[in-house]
């Protein structure tokens, strides 16, 4: 049996009561069961009570799903919540019917029902899965987990670690504040919490050895919080963004991980045995320690490995830059955004009236309040599409396109020396980005802000490929 194809936890943690059903010598990949259900998780440490969450198998994060590139993923989701759900495989270029957007690509999974997701992920890399029904509440309560598609020949590191980072809004008793979808969050920065966690733990300590080489797969599962991470005197080498390999570069500045984004880095642990070093977030005004590395007394080796790690570059369909269907996309609205009116259910309406219905944002003057609205883009399969996305609001927006990756070509008119593939680019206030992709995957796909309250308040649209 191929050990690497097991679905398993990485690192030190093991999951009790969660074992994949595997038949020895079978060529059929084992199916795993994920049950969405309530659970209790010690988010904030021993001094506080456990927090009631909703999790895959009651855990937060859900168990990492790890398969080798080329294998099929086969997951049976059983819904043991009292509300409908569905599971989206963020960043995977999969068949539309497997995309997990309830009301668009499948019917919601009703309480007590199951749904089987089966597909072969075409790209190796770091992805994640999460609920796509009332995501601002269901992800906010913990319904997410990592999805790792391992390279056929993964680079040699001492440990391959997943950091699923999140941001919780907890009350003094460590329970989740129930104000999901609050009006202020919908029209401002989204639900920003007060307890940032790594793999479901607040201010956890990460034990490392001097000389050790880590691969860190950072996945931002926050509702809306973006991160800008620095690693004290360590110099991370960034090897992949949004699951797709890039030519590695040494990060001299904090590494931005927008909501729903992923960054893979190689970290050589150069600190002294016995020392500690913080990982600091500085995206917002107040920097804080997200977590700390604690070096064991015994070094792993005297000097760090010098061999450079470089992943195979992605093999994605290249957009035909000489024959592009161009679309200008303007994101407007929100507090301090200056949007006066927009189309709501096909009618022009003043912002005040729109706000009264709980909406705040528009894409090209259209409030994305429903899944049966006319598509923003309607194109034939195989078309090379160019998007120029301008953020004319006062807030950053991580804009996620389902079913595709887009090549980021330029930012604010400056061409990137090395364009890179993204599925959730974080577009800052006033910024514009040009991206191109081949619309090769037929279906109706969501294109939306992954600040989940923004999406709930209208920052979403459809891309139809026929
Ligand atoms: Cu990560 Cu529409 O989703
Ligand atoms: Cu947004």
């Amino acid at each position: 049996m191929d050990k690497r194809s097991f679905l398993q936890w990485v690192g030190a943690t093991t999951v009790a009561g969660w074992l994949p059903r595997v038949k020895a010598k079978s060529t059929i990949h084992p199916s795993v069961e994920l049950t969405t259900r309530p659970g209790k998780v010690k988010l904030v440490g021993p001094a506080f009570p456990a927090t009631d969450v909703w999790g895959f198998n009651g855990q937060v994060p859900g168990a990492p799903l790890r398969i080798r590139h080329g294998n099929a993923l086969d997951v049976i989701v059983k819904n043991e919540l009292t509300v409908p759900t569905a599971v989206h495989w963020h960043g995977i270029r999969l068949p539309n019917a497997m995309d997990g957007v309830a009301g668009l690509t499948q019917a919601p999974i009703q309480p007590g029902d199951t749904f089987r997701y089966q597909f072969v992920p075409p790209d190796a890399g770091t992805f994640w899965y999460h609920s796509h029904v009332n995501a601002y509440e269901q992800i906010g309560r913990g319904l997410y987990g990592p999805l790792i598609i391992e390279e056929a020949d993964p680079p040699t590191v001492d440990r391959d670690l997943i950091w699923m980072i999140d941001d919780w809004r907890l009350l003094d008793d460590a329970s989740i504040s129930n104000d999901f979808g609050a009006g202020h969050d919908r029209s401002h920065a989204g639900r920003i919490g007060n307890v940032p966690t790594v793999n479901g733990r607040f201010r956890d300590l990460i034990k490392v050895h001097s000389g050790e080489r880590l691969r860190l797969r950072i996945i931002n599962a926050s509702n809306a919080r973006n991160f800008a991470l620095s690693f004290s005197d360590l110099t991370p080498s960034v090897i992949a963004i949004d699951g797709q390999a890039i030519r590695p570069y040494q990060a001299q500045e904090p590494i931005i991980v927008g909501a729903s984004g992923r960054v893979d880095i190689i970290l050589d642990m150069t600190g002294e045995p016995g020392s500690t070093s913080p990982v600091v977030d500085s995206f917002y005004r107040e920097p804080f320690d997200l977590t700390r590395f604690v070096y064991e007394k015994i070094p792993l080796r005297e000097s760090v490995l010098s061999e450079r790690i470089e992943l195979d570059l992605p093999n994605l369909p290249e957009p035909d830059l000489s024959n592009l269907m161009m679309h200008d996309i303007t994101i407007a609205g929100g507090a301090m955004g200056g949007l006066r009116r927009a189309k709501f259910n096909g009618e022009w309406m003043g912002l005040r009236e729109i706000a009264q219905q709980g909406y705040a944002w528009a894409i090209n003057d259209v409030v994305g309040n429903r899944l049966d609205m006319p598509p923003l883009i309607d194109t034939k399969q195989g078309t090379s599409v160019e998007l120029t996305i301008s953020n004319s609001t006062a807030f950053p927006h991580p804009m996620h396109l389902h079913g595709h990756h887009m090549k980021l070509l330029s930012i604010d008119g400056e061409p990137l020396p090395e364009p890179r593939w993204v599925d959730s680019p974080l577009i800052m206030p006033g910024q514009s980005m040009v991206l191109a992709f081949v619309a090769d995957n037929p279906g109706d796909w969501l294109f939306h802000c992954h600040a989940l309250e923004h999406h709930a308040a209208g920052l979403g649209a459809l891309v139809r490929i026929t």
Side-chain angles (χ1 to χ4, degrees):
M1 186 146 33
D2 180 5
K3 279 224 190 80
R4 301 198 67 100
S5 68
F6 270 79
L7 300 159
Q8 61 188 8
W9 276 105
V10 221
T13 330
T14 52
V15 184
W18 193 83
L19 287 172
R21 289 178 290 132
V22 181
K23 283 192 222 109
K25 294 215 179 87
S26 169
T27 52
I28 299 166
H29 199 77
S31 64
V32 277
E33 248 181 61
L34 288 180
T35 303
T36 54
R37 60 176 168 84
K40 281 188 184 295
V41 175
K42 278 269 184 193
L43 294 175
V44 218
F48 289 86
T51 301
D52 285 308
V53 298
W54 295 353
F56 287 97
N57 298 339
Q59 299 154 0
V60 179
L65 305 179
R66 285 186 89 100
I67 58 170
R68 182 77 75 83
H69 189 205
N71 286 340
L73 193 79
D74 184 351
V75 180
I76 295 168
V77 175
K78 181 160 202 296
N79 184 8
E80 288 183 2
L81 300 169
T82 57
V83 291
T85 193
V87 180
H88 172 58
W89 312 89
H90 186 114
I92 304 285
R93 302 184 297 128
L94 40 55
N96 190 261
M98 295 288 109
D99 199 40
V101 181
L104 184 68
T105 66
Q106 68 170 93
I109 311 170
Q110 296 299 336
D113 283 358
T114 59
F115 189 93
R116 185 172 193 172
Y117 295 93
Q118 281 179 295
F119 51 88
V120 181
D123 307 308
T126 302
F127 302 93
W128 62 300
Y129 60 95
H130 63 74
S131 159
H132 218 299
V133 173
N134 285 341
Y136 63 92
E137 176 176 7
Q138 296 198 0
I139 294 179
R141 291 189 185 278
L143 281 169
Y144 60 77
L147 171 57
I148 307 301
I149 315 300
E150 295 179 340
E151 294 88 12
D153 186 15
T156 307
V157 292
D158 294 308
R159 280 188 293 163
D160 179 334
L161 299 179
I162 301 169
W163 278 13
M164 226 166 170
I165 56 183
D166 194 3
D167 169 42
W168 303 79
R169 187 179 289 172
L170 300 185
L171 305 177
D172 288 346
D173 61 356
S175 68
I176 296 175
S177 167
N178 274 320
D179 58 344
F180 288 105
H184 186 274
D185 295 336
R186 293 166 78 98
S187 58
H188 290 70
R191 182 180 175 93
I192 303 293
N194 54 351
V195 177
T197 54
V198 175
N199 296 337
R201 292 204 197 118
F202 176 60
R203 288 198 186 143
D204 204 9
L205 302 175
I206 317 278
K207 285 187 181 157
V208 293
H209 291 267
S210 294
E212 195 177 14
R213 173 168 277 189
L214 305 180
R215 176 181 186 163
L216 220 56
R217 303 171 184 262
I218 305 168
I219 306 171
N220 185 353
S222 305
N223 279 37
R225 183 184 282 276
N226 306 302
F227 288 82
L229 299 178
S230 25
F231 294 80
S232 307
D233 40 7
L234 306 173
T235 311
S237 167
V238 181
I239 58 169
I241 291 175
D242 283 357
Q244 304 287 1
I246 57 168
R247 216 165 56 80
Y249 72 92
Q250 306 272 300
Q252 309 295 349
E253 318 232 297
I255 295 172
I256 306 286
V257 196
S260 85
R262 285 89 63 217
V263 177
D264 284 38
I265 61 176
I266 298 294
L267 263 190
D268 286 314
M269 307 309 298
T270 51
E272 291 296 317
S275 68
T276 67
S277 94
V279 177
V280 178
D281 172 74
S282 56
F283 192 90
Y284 302 92
R285 227 167 296 155
E286 299 270 316
F288 63 88
D289 289 4
L290 177 63
T291 182
R292 276 161 184 277
F293 290 116
V294 179
Y295 287 85
E296 305 275 17
K297 296 267 169 350
I298 316 284
L300 182 69
R301 56 176 71 84
E302 285 312 320
S303 59
V304 295
L305 299 173
S306 56
E307 189 201 335
R308 175 182 156 96
I309 286 186
E310 182 150 11
L311 303 173
D312 288 342
L313 290 178
N315 184 17
L316 294 173
E318 282 293 335
D320 178 358
L321 299 183
S322 66
N323 184 18
L324 290 165
M325 187 195 240
M326 303 197 187
H327 292 271
D328 283 327
I329 292 170
T330 301
I331 301 168
M336 303 163 289
L339 181 71
R340 291 268 186 82
R341 49 187 217 127
K343 277 191 210 147
F344 189 82
N345 291 336
E347 312 267 344
W348 283 100
M349 230 183 239
L351 191 64
R352 173 183 286 260
E353 256 177 291
I354 291 169
Q356 275 162 3
Q357 330 237 9
Y359 293 89
W361 312 89
I363 296 180
N364 289 358
D365 289 332
V366 176
V367 179
N369 60 321
R370 46 205 294 170
L371 292 171
D372 60 354
M373 54 195 282
L376 170 71
I377 293 172
D378 190 343
T379 193
K380 288 262 165 297
Q381 188 179 359
T383 310
S384 289
V385 176
E386 183 185 87
L387 308 179
T388 301
I389 311 178
S390 306
N391 178 358
S392 70
T393 78
F395 297 94
H397 303 289
M399 295 301 297
H400 175 46
L401 175 62
H402 284 224
H404 298 78
H405 279 247
M406 305 173 281
K407 201 164 204 182
L408 176 57
L409 301 176
S410 73
I411 299 176
D412 287 338
E414 287 285 326
L416 268 65
E418 291 187 53
R420 59 172 187 264
W421 295 98
V422 292
D423 61 41
S424 311
L426 181 64
I427 311 180
M428 298 301 289
Q431 205 171 48
S432 78
M433 283 186 180
V434 180
L435 305 114
F437 67 100
V438 181
D440 62 344
N441 200 353
D444 277 3
W445 301 100
L446 266 186
F447 170 63
H448 67 93
C449 180
H450 223 287
L452 300 170
E453 294 71 27
H454 291 178
H455 185 204
L459 224 181
L462 294 178
V463 173
R464 177 166 297 158
I465 300 168
T466 49

